[in-house]
């Protein structure tokens, strides 16, 4: 009863559901990624989205799933994710044990796009499970039930992979990598990024968008000099949203772009310096300079 | 009646002197009339003093007589200084001090009055009691150098540290006074004691080194003082400044220490086209930022582009710019044609060129001009003639800002930001051409010539030159420069192409070859900056100026102690000043030459039984075992036992929780360990209660440790350290983290021996740095020691290195590394708790136990 109520209220949603009828999630193409994805989709080839955090990989896929009108199953991988979390497991229900499909199995059965986000984070045994799905067999073996499932015609596997991100310790095996069609993402160009930030922040004024994006692009230059993750488009969008919510620009930038990414005091100083240059303290200050 | 007695007495003394010495008699007669004016009593007292001094020490008497007439005339008294001169009778050979005293007592009297003079003398007299050489130094140093402009109180505060350190460390005043007045100017009275104490420590370590410190001839003395200067310390913020350059200009421009010293006018940034040389301090953080950004802009926007510079020299009538031995351009000929107006032209040229560069930089770095203007407006207008230049530059930049404002950012707020009452732009029309993107340094030259013709700019000398520059801006031709290729704003491939080592060697060789230049032969030039190094630059055309660079000052005063450098610099904590002294310690990684493979085999054979026992214990601790976690809420498989319980409970009508899964997880003890062994001389001591030496136990301990850890498979490294003063801390790798335990490593461990002292802090800092490269979750630093940290130059102050070690320990903890000390020193209880904290050390009372205990301690710790 409670479950049903929750479902009605929309609190709980099935992993697998058909796309809502609303507009497609906002996405601006950076290059030819849409064409490549469409081509891969027509042949149902598995796809690997490569690129740094927060550059729009997940959004891209949501957008594509909507355009193609296919359900999307997203699994955020983490280091404790085991193959049974993907495939399914036996559960006790009442008097008996019941098999419960994992998200991957459901996607395979029902023909959805299954998105394994940051797959390097998962245990290595999970990557082996997906091997038979990614070649001509298109099968998912369920070891525990001693069965093999043939994938639905519309099933498609997409993984994301962040090169350079802890790759020293964790990397996909070459045997896994070479099964995918790769689409490379990077932070969008300045004009596109402005459009994105303006849109995502809910209509921040063009001047501040311009400064924000310019500051973000400067900050990105510090990657690999102590900054493990560069300032992402998402962080810029968040900063924009915070400004829209009434925070002063410098505070918003500090909260969205600096505080989350680093604890290194010198780096913080350098980033704050960049932000401050793009957002002068106030107009009074500029007036004082002339006075 | 009494007066008659006195006059008779005076005559008697005169006769007495005549018998003894012709000179004394003559001089007394010459001085007497001046003294007589003060009355017979005083004259008698004076002449008796003169006689006594003369009989005591002829030289003393002579100088007393020589100065007397002048002193009487200048001070208007006789009795006080005569009485004081009498005091010198207490000592033999005090005439040097007396001479110094007499030479300036009248000036002291006039400057400080009777009370001040009396104190000045009393201090000197105390020094006579300590040592006559020091007293001489005291009296010979002009009193106005000692007071620092604060009268007697200044004198008192200057001498106080010296008196204290004389008692504590035997520091001589003679030595102290060589640098103390200057040091006081820089660090103030408060910092004087610690400055002098450090010098006293060095003096104990080595006489010449200490003296060089006090004379400010050695780099270390100067460095310490620079660190104490107020302001924004550029070298401490080097990384921040570099990050800024990286962000704004895409450039990795190396920053280096400039050679600015206090008293040389405003600190300024300099460049040689490869690096930016930062002065030790800037007035403020903002100024440092502006300076670095502006300096990099010169590189980015082709102030030093070969093509442009060549055209510039062509204009000056030279086919090629003169190059020095390093292929650096020397600027002098460029400015030479302006003769004594050189500085005037130089400022104007720099002004034009700076404007050109800043105009372009403004588009790259928003807010750059705003910051520059803010700094410039906050600073007081310098005195004329520099003020005219400064004001002109300031007005120019205000004008520039107005000019550029509409261009910057098409956003509406940029317009709104303009203050309605701001003065209109005052950008001089002559400068306008410099704002074009295609303008080059050549245009700046032409503009400068145009401005040069304008009489509104007054003549200016070298002393005021630096004041004419806006804050953050600096002399562009301060150093010879490596010409650049054309960059047009793109610095992305900028690299420090110079081979630092080559450069260093080259300079060294040159210095050795160069004959000492006679001081009078050295070129005298009003401006050392424009043409450093000094060289032959007369004449014009062709390649000139290839003279041999010689050190600026060749006349030597003793050999200054040169600290070794070239290693890895580490800071050190000085508890007395409660601050870190940056780059104080020079650490070198060394290879241990001794290898003893034979001894290694012996050790292993001897301790075979222990090792066997250890190995059994280790089996229990093998990592990578899957540890089953039972009765979990979820998991990979069912926990049969739990399921049965669950079903049974269920059937029984209970409602049990479904903790029925079993999960296997690796409980990996991910620990890396580094053993840092103290390799100082003390480990060569004989075993206190047994056979052989301590070092043998240390070898066995390390050997067993290495074997044991190798069996567990934890990442492990072993190193040792020894030190000889602050500049030679040696760090020996016995086994690196990546190295397998093979016979070479065993041989090295068996070959260790003791040497030198133990400056532990630096070794710990280096170990911490090494451990940061290891990715293990837990990192353990085991320090194997046999005594207190100590070094030759700690001045016998045990607490100094204690506190430094404690600080290094804290830094290790901050870096996520757990330090633990194992000591063989039975008295460790006294100091280890203070350094390592309770529970972070253990004392091994019986040295024989070390081989067995060392691996055990590690296994206990890693649990």
């Amino acid at each position: 009863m409670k479950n049903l109520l929750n479902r009605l209220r929309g609190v709980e949603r099935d992993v697998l559901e058909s796309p809502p009828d609303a507009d497609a999630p906002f996405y601006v193409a950076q290059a030819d990624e849409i064409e490549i994805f469409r081509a891969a989709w027509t042949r149902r080839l598995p796809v690997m989205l490569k690129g740094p955090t927060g550059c729009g990989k997940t959004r891209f896929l949501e957008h594509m799933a909507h355009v193609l009108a296919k359900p999307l199953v997203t699994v955020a991988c983490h280091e404790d994710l085991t193959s049974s979390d993907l495939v399914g497991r036996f559960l006790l229900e009442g008097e008996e044990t019941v098999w419960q499909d994992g998200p991957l199995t459901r996607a395979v059965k029902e023909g959805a796009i299954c998105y394994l986000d940051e797959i390097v984070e998962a245990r290595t045994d999970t990557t082996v499970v997906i091997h038979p799905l990614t070649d001509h067999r298109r099968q998912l073996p369920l070891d525990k039930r001693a069965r093999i499932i043939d994938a639905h015609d519309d099933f498609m596997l997409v993984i994301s992979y962040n090169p350079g991100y802890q790759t020293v310790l964790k990397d996909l095996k070459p045997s896994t990598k070479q099964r995918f069609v790769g689409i490379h993402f990077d932070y969008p160009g300045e004009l596109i990024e402005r459009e994105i930030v303006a849109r995502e922040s809910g209509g921040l004024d063009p001047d501040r968008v311009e400064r924000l994006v310019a500051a973000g692009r400067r900050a990105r230059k510090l990657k690999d000099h102590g900054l493990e993750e560069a300032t992402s488009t998402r962080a810029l969008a968040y900063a924009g949203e915070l400004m829209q919510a009434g925070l002063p620009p410098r505070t918003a930038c500090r909260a969205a772009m600096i505080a989350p990414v680093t604890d290194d005091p010198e780096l913080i100083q350098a980033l704050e310096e960049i932000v401050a240059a793009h957002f002068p303290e106030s107009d009074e200050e500029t007036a004082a300079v002339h006075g | 009646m009494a007066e008659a007695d006195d006059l008779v007495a005076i005559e008697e003394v005169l006769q007495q002197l005549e018998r003894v010495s012709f000179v004394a008699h003559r001089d007394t007669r010459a001085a007497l009339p001046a003294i007589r004016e003060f009355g017979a009593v005083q004259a008698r007292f004076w002449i008796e003093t003169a006689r006594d001094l003369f009989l005591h020490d002829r030289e003393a008497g002579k100088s007393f007589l020589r100065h007397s007439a002048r002193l009487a005339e200048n001070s208007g008294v006789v009795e006080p200084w005569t009485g004081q001169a009498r005091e010198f009778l207490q000592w033999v050979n005090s005439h040097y001090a007396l001479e110094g005293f007499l030479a300036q007592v009248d000036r002291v009297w006039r400057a400080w009055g009777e009370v001040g003079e009396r104190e000045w003398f009393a201090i000197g007299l105390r020094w006579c009691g300590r040592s006559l050489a020091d007293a001489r130094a005291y009296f010979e140093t002009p009193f106005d150098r000692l007071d620092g402009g604060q009268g007697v109180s200044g004198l008192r505060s200057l001498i106080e540290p010296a008196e204290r350190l004389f008692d504590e460390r035997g520091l001589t005043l003679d030595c102290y006074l060589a640098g103390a007045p200057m040091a006081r100017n820089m660090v103030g009275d408060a910092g004087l004691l610690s400055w002098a104490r450090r010098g006293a420590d060095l003096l104990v370590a080595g006489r010449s080194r200490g003296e060089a410190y006090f004379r400010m001839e050695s780099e270390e003395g100067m460095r310490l003082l620079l660190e104490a200067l107020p302001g924004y310390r550029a070298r401490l913020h080097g990384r921040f400044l570099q990050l800024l350059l990286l962000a704004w200009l895409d450039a990795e421009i190396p920053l280096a220490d400039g050679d600015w010293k206090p008293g040389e006018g405003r600190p300024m940034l300099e460049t040689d086209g490869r690096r930016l040389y930062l002065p030790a301090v800037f007035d403020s953080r903002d100024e440092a930022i502006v300076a670095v950004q502006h300096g990099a802009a010169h590189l980015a926007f082709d102030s030093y582009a070969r093509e442009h510079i060549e055209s510039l020299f062509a204009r000056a009538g030279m086919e090629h710019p003169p190059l020095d031995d390093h292929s650096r351009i020397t600027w002098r000929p460029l400015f030479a044609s302006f003769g004594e107006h050189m500085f005037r032209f130089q400022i104007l040229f720099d002004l034009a060129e700076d404007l050109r560069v800043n105009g372009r930089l403004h588009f790259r770095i928003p807010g750059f001009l705003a910051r520059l203007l803010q700094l410039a407006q906050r600073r007081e207008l310098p005195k004329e003639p520099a003020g005219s230049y400064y004001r002109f530059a300031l007005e120019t930049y205000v004008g520039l800002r107005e000019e550029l404002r509409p261009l910057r950012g098409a956003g509406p707020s940029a317009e709104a930001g303009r203050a309605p009452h701001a003065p209109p732009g005052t950008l001089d029309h002559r400068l306008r051409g410099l704002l074009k993107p295609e303008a080059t340094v050549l245009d700046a030259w032409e503009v400068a010539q145009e401005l040069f013709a304008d009489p509104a700019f007054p003549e200016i000398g070298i002393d005021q030159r630096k004041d004419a520059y806006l804050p953050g801006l600096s002399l562009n031709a301060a150093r010879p420069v490596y010409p650049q290729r054309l960059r047009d704003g793109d610095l992305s491939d900028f690299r420090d192409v110079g081979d630092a080592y080559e450069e260093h060697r080259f300079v060294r060789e040159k210095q050795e070859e160069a004959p000492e230049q006679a001081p009078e032969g050295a070129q005298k030039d009003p401006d050392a900056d424009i043409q450093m190094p000094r060289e032959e630059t007369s004449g014009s055309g062709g390649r000139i100026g290839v003279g041999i660079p010689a050190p600026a000052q060749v006349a030597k005063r003793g050999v200054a102690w040169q600290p070794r450098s070239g290693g890895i610099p580490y800071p050190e904590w000085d508890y007395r000043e409660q601050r870190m002294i940056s780059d104080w310690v020079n650490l070198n990684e060394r290879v241990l030459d001794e290898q003893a493979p034979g001894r290694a085999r012996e050790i292993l054979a001897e301790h075979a039984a222990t090792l066997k026992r250890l190995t059994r214990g280790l089996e229990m601790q093998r990592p990578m075992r899957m540890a089953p976690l039972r009765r979990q809420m979820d998991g990979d498989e069912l926990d049969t036992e739990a399921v049965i319980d669950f079903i049974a409970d269920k059937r029984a009508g209970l409602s049990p929780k479904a903790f029925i899964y079993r999960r296997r997880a690796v409980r990996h003890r991910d620990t890396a360990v580094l053993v840092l062994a103290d390799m100082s001389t003390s480990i060569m001591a004989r075993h206190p209660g047994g056979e052989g030496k301590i070092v043998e136990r240390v070898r066995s301990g390390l050997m067993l440790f290495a074997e044991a850890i190798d069996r567990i498979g934890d990442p492990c490294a072993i190193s040792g350290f020894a030190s000889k003063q602050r500049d030679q801390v040696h760090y020996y790798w016995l086994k690196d983290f990546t190295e397998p335990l093979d016979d070479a490593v065993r041989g090295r461990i068996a070959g260790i021996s003791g040497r030198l002292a133990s400056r532990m802090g630096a070794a710990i800092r280096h170990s911490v740095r090494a451990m940061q490269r290891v990715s293990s979750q837990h990192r353990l630093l085991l320090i194997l020691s046999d005594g207190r940290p100590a070094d030759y130059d700690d001045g016998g102050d045990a607490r100094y290195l204690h506190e430094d070690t404690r600080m290094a320990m804290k830094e290790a903890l901050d870096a996520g590394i757990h330090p633990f000390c194992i000591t063989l020193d039975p008295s460790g209880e006294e100091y280890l708790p203070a350094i390592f904290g309770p529970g972070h050390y253990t004392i091994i009372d019986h040295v024989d136990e070390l081989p067995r205990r060392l691996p055990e301690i590690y296994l206990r710790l890693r649990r």
Side-chain angles (χ1 to χ4, degrees):
Chain A
M1 191 60 190
K2 196 181 161 200
N3 283 350
L4 184 68
L5 272 176
N6 273 342
R7 200 166 286 198
L8 285 176
R9 279 163 44 205
V11 172
E12 198 177 81
R13 287 195 308 184
D14 243 338
V15 180
L16 186 69
E17 59 180 23
S18 36
D21 292 332
D23 287 343
F26 173 71
Y27 185 80
V28 187
Q30 298 172 21
D32 49 4
E33 68 266 24
I34 292 182
E35 288 78 30
I36 298 176
F37 193 87
R38 273 183 186 282
W41 162 253
T42 52
R43 308 300 302 166
R44 304 294 190 272
L45 296 176
V47 167
M48 172 185 342
L49 309 180
K50 293 167 69 169
T53 341
C55 70
K57 299 187 295 286
T58 305
R59 179 60 71 84
F60 168 72
L61 195 62
E62 282 171 12
H63 174 79
M64 289 312 297
H66 195 280
V67 170
L68 297 171
K70 290 294 156 211
L72 176 67
V73 175
T74 302
V75 182
C77 299
H78 52 85
E79 54 191 20
D80 281 337
L81 189 96
T82 60
S83 55
S84 36
D85 291 329
L86 282 181
V87 174
R89 58 161 53 99
F90 281 109
L91 294 178
L92 272 180
E93 221 168 78
E95 293 287 299
E96 58 207 357
T97 56
V98 176
W99 172 260
Q100 165 121 42
D101 282 339
L104 180 62
T105 314
R106 298 186 71 181
V108 166
K109 281 180 180 169
E110 301 188 25
I113 298 175
C114 182
Y115 178 41
L116 304 179
D117 197 2
E118 303 288 3
I119 187 139
V120 280
E121 291 289 337
R123 292 248 186 98
T124 32
D125 61 327
T126 54
T127 49
V128 181
V129 181
I130 60 175
H131 275 202
L133 275 174
T134 51
D135 50 29
H136 66 279
R137 290 172 285 175
R138 289 176 60 80
Q139 288 170 335
L140 177 66
L142 297 185
D143 289 341
K144 285 188 181 163
R145 299 183 71 195
R147 276 162 72 174
I148 287 178
I149 304 174
D150 284 320
H152 188 284
D153 277 350
D154 282 349
F155 169 78
M156 183 180 184
L157 185 69
V158 180
I159 63 172
S160 79
Y161 168 66
N162 188 348
Y165 175 61
Q166 293 189 329
T167 35
V168 187
L169 296 175
K170 297 172 177 177
D171 197 2
L172 283 184
K173 280 182 258 169
S175 64
T176 310
K177 279 191 204 166
Q178 52 89 30
R179 292 161 179 273
F180 289 86
V181 171
I183 302 182
H184 188 76
F185 285 75
D186 205 343
Y187 299 113
E190 189 158 12
L191 292 177
I192 297 179
E193 196 158 28
R194 277 187 210 163
E195 191 184 337
I196 295 170
V197 172
R199 167 83 185 235
E200 291 288 314
S201 59
L204 191 67
D205 62 85
D207 176 52
R208 279 196 283 176
V209 167
E210 191 186 316
R211 289 157 188 256
L212 183 56
V213 170
R217 299 180 75 78
R218 282 287 155 211
R220 253 166 230 164
K221 309 234 177 207
L222 297 184
K223 185 170 166 12
D224 298 333
H225 292 270
L227 203 56
E228 276 155 25
E229 286 289 317
T231 315
S232 63
T233 310
R234 176 168 45 218
L236 295 182
Y238 282 179
E241 284 188 68
L242 291 178
M243 285 184 216
Q244 275 302 83
L247 276 188
R250 284 189 183 187
T251 317
C253 290
R254 201 178 307 132
M257 292 162 54
I258 302 176
V261 290
T262 181
D263 299 316
D264 174 345
E266 276 150 338
L267 208 52
I268 291 176
Q269 273 193 56
L271 290 170
E272 285 189 339
E273 171 65 29
I274 293 169
V275 169
H278 286 92
F279 294 100
E281 191 60 75
S282 63
D283 286 347
E284 291 87 78
E285 188 190 71
T286 25
V289 171
H290 290 274
Chain B
M1 194 59 202
E3 190 179 331
D5 286 350
D6 290 333
L7 290 175
V8 172
I10 291 171
E11 280 307 315
E12 275 173 11
V13 175
L14 270 176
Q15 283 168 16
Q16 190 184 353
L17 282 173
E18 195 175 11
R19 282 195 301 275
V20 182
S21 155
F22 166 75
V23 178
H25 182 248
R26 182 197 64 197
D27 287 356
T28 315
R29 278 206 170 285
L32 197 56
I35 308 296
R36 274 236 170 96
E37 290 174 22
F38 295 88
V41 183
Q42 302 233 12
R44 182 180 169 185
F45 178 55
W46 173 81
I47 201 167
E48 279 169 4
T49 305
R51 177 199 56 199
D52 293 348
L53 280 168
F54 193 84
L55 294 178
H56 172 71
D57 179 346
R58 293 177 79 91
E59 291 302 321
K62 277 193 231 165
S63 35
F64 182 76
L65 290 170
R66 200 163 50 239
H67 290 287
S68 285
R70 193 193 81 245
L71 293 182
E73 187 185 332
N74 286 344
S75 62
V77 287
V78 169
E79 192 275 328
W81 51 262
T82 307
Q84 287 168 352
R86 269 196 97 80
E87 299 280 348
F88 288 86
L89 285 171
Q90 297 174 48
W91 296 282
V92 183
N93 275 332
S94 58
H95 65 271
Y96 286 116
L98 178 65
E99 167 72 25
F101 164 76
L102 292 169
Q104 54 179 338
V105 61
D106 52 335
R107 279 179 288 133
V108 179
W109 181 274
R110 266 189 305 175
W112 292 346
E114 190 183 348
V115 181
E117 190 272 342
R118 210 173 279 156
E119 177 152 8
W120 173 74
F121 172 74
I123 291 174
L125 205 63
R126 284 210 293 279
W127 281 103
C128 284
R130 293 190 180 99
S131 128
L132 285 171
D134 286 341
R136 176 185 177 186
Y138 175 80
F139 282 120
E140 282 182 353
T141 314
F143 72 100
D144 44 3
R145 240 190 100 210
L146 297 179
D147 73 342
Q150 297 162 37
V152 195
S153 67
L155 171 75
R156 212 180 294 135
S157 60
L158 185 81
I159 297 299
E160 221 167 87
E163 297 194 321
R164 206 169 137 186
L165 288 174
F166 182 87
D167 300 340
E168 276 179 24
R169 308 270 162 99
L171 172 67
T172 61
L173 187 68
D174 170 26
C175 209
Y176 172 80
L177 284 181
M182 184 174 170
R184 195 241 311 266
N185 287 343
M186 290 160 76
V187 296
D189 292 339
L192 208 51
L193 181 62
S194 65
W195 170 80
R197 182 177 287 135
R198 187 166 289 279
D201 290 351
L202 295 179
L203 210 57
V204 174
R207 182 127 207 112
S208 63
R209 179 177 166 194
E211 283 173 358
Y213 174 94
F214 280 110
R215 284 199 304 264
M216 309 265 174
E217 280 168 6
S218 70
E219 163 265 1
E220 59 186 346
M222 197 40 122
R223 263 263 313 286
L224 274 172
L225 286 177
L226 287 177
E227 289 215 354
L229 279 185
Y232 185 76
R233 225 152 293 285
R235 61 175 296 133
L236 294 186
H237 300 276
R239 174 150 173 264
F240 163 66
L241 296 169
Q242 222 154 6
L243 284 172
L244 285 187
L245 291 183
L246 202 69
W248 291 119
L249 293 158
D250 247 341
E252 278 190 70
I253 303 174
L255 304 179
D257 289 341
D259 42 20
W260 174 85
K261 289 192 184 70
E264 291 182 358
R266 268 181 47 200
M268 282 182 165
L269 178 134
E270 297 171 355
T271 182
D272 66 352
R274 284 186 183 166
R275 285 166 226 187
L276 299 180
Y277 293 85
L278 304 176
V281 288
F282 280 106
D283 280 357
S284 65
R285 177 172 180 269
D286 280 341
E287 183 170 341
I289 294 175
V290 167
V292 169
Q293 288 174 339
H294 174 78
H298 275 297
L299 300 178
F301 300 113
D302 301 322
S303 290
Y304 305 115
R306 184 186 295 274
E307 281 178 61
H308 296 330
I309 303 255
E310 287 194 352
S311 330
L312 209 54
F313 275 85
R315 189 159 312 194
M318 275 164 263
E319 208 173 320
H320 296 290
L323 301 178
D324 68 3
D325 292 16
H326 298 265
S327 309
R328 293 180 301 198
I329 292 171
T330 48
W331 297 103
R332 173 146 184 85
L334 207 52
F335 297 98
S337 60
F338 294 91
E340 68 243 41
H341 310 299
M342 186 159 80
F343 306 123
R344 185 163 167 254
F345 181 77
Q346 193 192 7
I347 296 171
L348 292 171
F349 178 40
D350 282 352
L351 192 146
E353 176 63 7
D354 287 350
L355 178 71
R356 181 184 78 81
V357 161
N358 288 341
R360 293 196 66 181
L361 188 64
H362 170 75
F363 291 98
R364 190 71 72 89
I365 307 180
F368 172 77
L369 281 185
R371 178 176 271 147
L372 174 62
L373 274 172
Q374 232 173 356
L375 283 171
Q377 279 164 334
R378 229 179 277 153
R379 178 161 297 175
E380 218 173 291
L381 199 66
K383 286 192 206 71
E384 290 300 327
S388 299
Y389 294 89
Y390 192 91
R391 201 179 316 111
F392 179 74
L394 186 57
E395 280 166 12
T396 301
Y397 279 103
V398 173
L400 174 67
R401 195 179 147 86
E402 287 303 307
E403 194 92 350
L404 293 174
R405 191 172 273 277
L407 292 172
R408 188 187 126 222
S413 68
E415 270 307 295
R418 183 202 286 252
H421 50 81
T426 43
L427 185 58
D428 195 291
H429 65 93
R430 289 169 289 191
L431 299 171
R432 212 158 275 274
L434 293 171
L435 299 183
K436 292 188 194 129
E438 67 273 13
T440 66
V441 65
L442 286 164
D443 298 284
W445 180 267
E446 275 181 10
V447 169
Q449 275 182 325
E450 208 180 321
L451 292 176
F452 185 68
D454 183 348
F457 298 104
E459 284 304 326
I460 188 163
I462 187 167
D463 296 336
Q464 305 97 36
R465 178 177 57 177
K466 279 185 163 184
D467 293 330
Y469 288 75
L470 295 186
L473 308 188
S474 51
L475 303 167
N476 292 337
R479 284 174 184 257
V481 159
Y482 297 98
Q484 306 283 302
R485 65 170 185 77
L486 270 182
R487 298 192 174 273
D488 198 27
D490 174 26
L491 281 177
S492 52
D493 63 344
F494 190 93
R495 217 153 281 126
D496 182 13
V497 285
D499 184 333
Y501 173 74
E502 277 296 306
E503 228 168 79
H504 175 72
R505 193 172 55 85
F506 182 86
V507 172
R508 279 268 301 281
E509 279 169 10
K510 278 294 168 198
Q511 275 173 356
E512 279 159 20
E513 282 169 24
E516 291 200 1
Q517 215 171 347
E520 62 273 15
Q523 214 172 328
K524 293 271 192 313
D525 196 290
D527 182 14
D529 291 342
I530 289 185
Q531 50 118 40
M532 228 176 52
R534 281 154 210 257
E535 57 205 346
E536 180 54 51
T537 47
S538 57
S540 61
R543 290 172 63 86
I544 58 158
V546 283
I548 295 164
Q553 181 75 38
V554 201
K556 284 180 189 162
R557 285 186 60 193
V559 181
W561 179 81
Q562 275 296 333
R564 313 241 174 150
S565 58
I568 307 163
Y570 280 100
E572 197 163 273
W573 173 257
D574 187 339
Y575 77 95
R576 299 174 297 217
E577 293 169 53
Q578 289 291 307
R579 71 181 172 107
M580 281 299 228
I581 307 163
S582 57
D583 298 1
W584 185 247
V585 178
N586 185 44
L587 181 142
N588 286 90
E589 285 192 1
R590 289 272 184 108
V591 182
L592 200 63
D593 302 328
E594 301 91 359
Q595 284 223 9
R599 199 189 291 150
R601 279 191 294 278
E602 280 170 31
I603 292 174
L604 284 177
E606 187 190 334
H607 294 276
T610 320
L611 192 59
K612 204 168 195 174
R613 199 154 34 80
L614 271 173
T615 313
R616 260 202 308 275
L618 294 175
E619 294 297 326
M620 313 282 279
Q621 290 220 6
R622 251 193 216 293
M624 304 301 292
R625 279 189 313 138
M626 296 286 264
L629 301 170
R630 315 196 76 145
R631 294 179 184 271
Q632 299 290 307
M633 195 67 171
D634 58 7
D636 302 320
E637 41 198 303
L638 287 172
D639 183 340
T640 324
E641 233 169 276
V643 172
I644 293 169
D645 286 350
F646 178 80
I647 295 173
D649 286 356
K650 195 99 180 167
R651 288 268 156 84
L654 303 171
S655 42
K657 293 254 163 59
F659 290 105
I660 49 163
Y661 288 100
R662 198 161 68 164
R663 196 168 54 189
R664 280 184 178 274
V666 183
R667 299 272 292 283
H668 188 93
R669 283 198 195 79
D670 188 13
T671 313
V673 60
L674 192 157
V675 182
L676 178 64
D678 178 347
M679 282 170 56
S680 58
T681 323
S682 51
I683 59 167
M684 299 307 277
R686 296 200 70 81
H687 184 313
E691 289 174 23
K693 296 174 175 176
I694 294 175
V695 68
E696 291 165 10
R697 272 67 174 190
V698 174
R699 288 178 194 139
S700 317
L702 291 176
M703 186 75 79
L704 282 190
F705 177 80
E707 294 289 340
I709 306 308
D710 192 52
R711 271 161 224 209
I712 316 178
D714 287 353
C716 150
I718 301 174
S719 60
F721 73 96
S723 71
K724 184 183 173 192
Q725 308 195 356
R726 70 170 180 90
D727 61 321
Q728 293 179 60
V729 178
H730 304 313
Y731 195 91
Y732 305 93
W733 281 110
L734 302 176
K735 177 187 178 303
D736 200 353
F737 280 107
T738 51
E739 222 171 338
L741 179 64
D742 53 19
D743 283 346
V745 172
R746 290 192 186 98
R748 251 177 267 152
I749 294 175
I752 63 167
S753 58
R755 75 238 14 234
L756 307 172
S758 54
R759 207 180 195 95
M760 201 182 272
I764 291 174
R765 290 187 178 96
H766 191 65
S767 307
V768 166
R769 191 182 283 187
M771 292 199 83
Q772 278 173 329
R773 293 195 292 265
V774 182
S775 65
S776 294
Q777 214 175 347
H778 303 288
R779 285 170 289 189
L780 194 64
L781 174 63
L782 284 183
I783 299 155
L784 180 59
S785 142
D786 71 329
R788 298 164 181 271
D791 204 348
Y792 301 97
D793 56 354
D794 61 6
D797 181 358
R799 197 174 151 202
Y800 177 76
L801 284 178
H802 276 202
E803 294 276 341
D804 174 55
T805 309
R806 190 176 61 84
M807 207 39 129
M809 206 77 320
K810 272 182 159 171
E811 289 164 31
L813 281 170
D814 288 345
I817 290 159
H818 300 275
F820 189 90
C821 180
I822 301 167
T823 189
L824 301 172
D825 181 3
S827 65
E829 201 75 61
E830 294 164 16
Y831 56 91
L832 287 175
I835 297 181
F836 292 90
H840 282 88
Y841 65 92
T842 187
I843 298 168
I844 297 182
D845 296 322
H846 299 286
V847 179
D848 286 331
E849 284 185 6
L850 179 72
R852 184 174 57 80
R853 288 285 302 280
L854 186 57
E856 276 180 9
I857 289 167
Y858 171 66
L859 294 177
R860 185 162 55 77
L861 287 172
R862 79 189 274 276
R863 234 177 274 177

